[in-house]
Amino acid sequence: MSAKQYIEQLVGVFGHPVAENPTVVLQQAAFHALELPWRYLTIEVYPEDLPSAMAGLKAFNMRGINLTIPHKQQVLDFLDELSPAAQLIGAVNTVINRDGILVGENTDGKGFIRSLTEDAKADVSGKHILILGAGGAARAIAVELALAGAGKITIINRSADRGTDLCRLISDKVKIPAHFIQWEGTAAVPEDADIIVNATSIGLPPDDDLIPDIDFTGIDSSKIVCDVIPAPSTPFLRKAGSRGAYTLDGMGMLVYQGAIGFTLWTGKEAPIEVMHQALLKEFESQDQQDS
Ligand code: NDP
């Protein structure tokens, strides 16, 4: 009889602040469902400690790590290889440790597209996509949409430098037409936009009653309106829904980006429904605690 094995395969997330990051819930549910002896750790890492944390990752033979604010760009200094998309985006949210070789990937935009195609049944090819925001999430989404064959991308952002930089990346590197509009006052929605994505942090708790300032009269039933805020609904989506648009929340993006990471780490297909239900349950229990 062979001796019992107590060792667990370790993955997790480095971030600051990270205490409210819910990824542990969906990854742990997936490990449990597939009876894998893996553990996901939520680890507070201050910006100045990232070099030691990455050395620790290797020392502990961790199988990989997620990165969240503020480490997604700084982590590039510690990686051996980058996926083509992560290289274009210039940020990594998932690291895979392949026998000591650290490979960086960005699953945010891929997760968004999977939610758009599988949950909203949308086809992005040739579509005009309006993205509100030009931060990390917007960058990942815009690059992946462009790589997936979007016809045209319009970026509306408050700060011009981030917005123009992202448009230049899309048009110069992925060769998809990209157009920047500076956000001043109420932003008009281009009539021919097919898909509209709120990729700003407007609406993120505790300011979850805030709504991106766009002209909702430009929204109708011909458009799909998406929000990256990871919540079952947002005031932005409710307002767009009341105009007849199909709406897509950010829960699917969160689940799918985690599912892609799960497969990259374990080599196994992720139990999407288990992960989705675990996340929904977590949000419901938080709502009950708050009320
Ligand atoms: P960043 O800080 O990199 O970018 C924030 C963006 O929001 C910028 O474009 C910023 O504009 C804009 N913004 C913030 N406040 C305002 C405001 N008051 N008016 C106008 N624009 C504003 O953040 P991330 O891109 O990393 O995250 C953005 C959102 O994406 C967050 O809500 C995060 O939770 C969500 N997210 C969701 C994921 C999911 O799986 N569902 C995964 C990753 C992120 P400016 O450039 O002018 O500052």
Side-chain angles (χ1 to χ4, degrees):
M1 204 169 81
S2 61
K4 186 163 183 205
Q5 303 279 306
Y6 292 104
I7 197 163
E8 288 182 310
Q9 304 300 321
L10 298 179
V11 287
V13 55
F14 292 160
H16 171 69
V18 76
E20 293 182 11
N21 190 305
T23 305
V24 60
V25 172
L26 51 97
Q27 295 293 1
Q28 225 38 78
F31 296 146
H32 182 73
L34 270 66
E35 297 182 3
L36 295 176
W38 285 55
R39 189 175 293 262
Y40 189 97
L41 305 170
T42 301
I43 305 174
E44 188 88 37
V45 173
Y46 296 100
E48 63 275 22
D49 292 328
L50 187 64
S52 336
M54 293 305 290
L57 169 100
K58 279 192 162 183
F60 287 176
N61 284 308
M62 290 180 75
R63 301 292 293 271
I65 199 79
N66 285 139
L67 288 309
T68 186
I69 292 171
H71 304 308
K72 286 185 181 181
Q73 284 154 350
Q74 209 193 334
V75 74
L76 265 64
D77 294 342
F78 306 96
L79 303 181
D80 302 299
E81 292 172 19
L82 281 181
S83 75
Q87 194 149 18
L88 277 173
I89 296 162
V92 158
N93 75 338
T94 304
V95 171
I96 308 107
N97 184 358
R98 295 204 173 116
D99 297 326
I101 307 290
L102 299 187
V103 182
E105 175 59 279
N106 194 315
T107 65
D108 281 338
K110 290 180 174 69
F112 174 77
I113 293 200
R114 232 173 120 180
S115 179
L116 193 57
T117 52
E118 294 189 24
D119 299 336
K121 310 282 179 235
D123 176 8
V124 300
S125 89
K127 296 289 183 337
H128 178 189
I129 297 163
L130 171 65
I131 299 177
L132 309 174
R139 219 174 146 84
I141 288 170
V143 165
E144 297 288 357
L145 284 169
L147 290 171
K152 178 175 159 191
I153 293 180
T154 299
I155 304 286
I156 297 184
N157 197 50
R158 181 178 56 179
S159 68
D161 51 347
R162 273 171 127 182
T164 48
D165 185 56
L166 178 52
C167 284
R168 215 174 298 123
L169 172 71
I170 299 299
S171 50
D172 291 359
K173 297 274 166 61
V174 200
K175 311 289 182 201
I176 297 293
H179 176 59
F180 173 66
I181 299 171
Q182 181 142 22
W183 207 336
E184 286 165 327
T186 304
V189 173
E191 210 175 312
D192 66 343
D194 301 295
I195 299 169
I196 298 150
V197 188
N198 173 33
T200 70
S201 41
I202 302 170
L204 201 61
D207 298 320
D208 44 7
D209 53 343
L210 295 183
I211 297 185
D213 189 6
I214 63 162
D215 182 0
F216 283 87
T217 61
I219 306 244
D220 58 31
S221 59
S222 69
K223 303 194 192 306
I224 296 177
V225 178
C226 318
D227 203 333
V228 299
I229 303 289
S233 181
T234 61
F236 174 69
L237 291 182
R238 285 195 288 278
K239 206 160 171 184
S242 73
R243 302 273 320 158
Y246 180 94
T247 59
L248 181 71
D249 65 56
M251 301 276 280
M253 173 179 175
L254 187 61
V255 168
Y256 285 118
Q257 63 82 27
I260 296 165
F262 177 93
T263 300
L264 287 169
W265 288 331
T266 65
K268 297 191 186 302
E269 196 174 325
I272 301 285
E273 197 43 38
V274 167
M275 296 169 95
H276 202 101
Q277 288 306 321
L279 197 62
L280 271 177
K281 211 167 138 198
E282 186 69 10
F283 273 89
E284 278 164 18
S285 76
Q286 270 175 24
D287 280 350
Q288 275 165 11
Q289 274 173 23
D290 293 347
S291 61

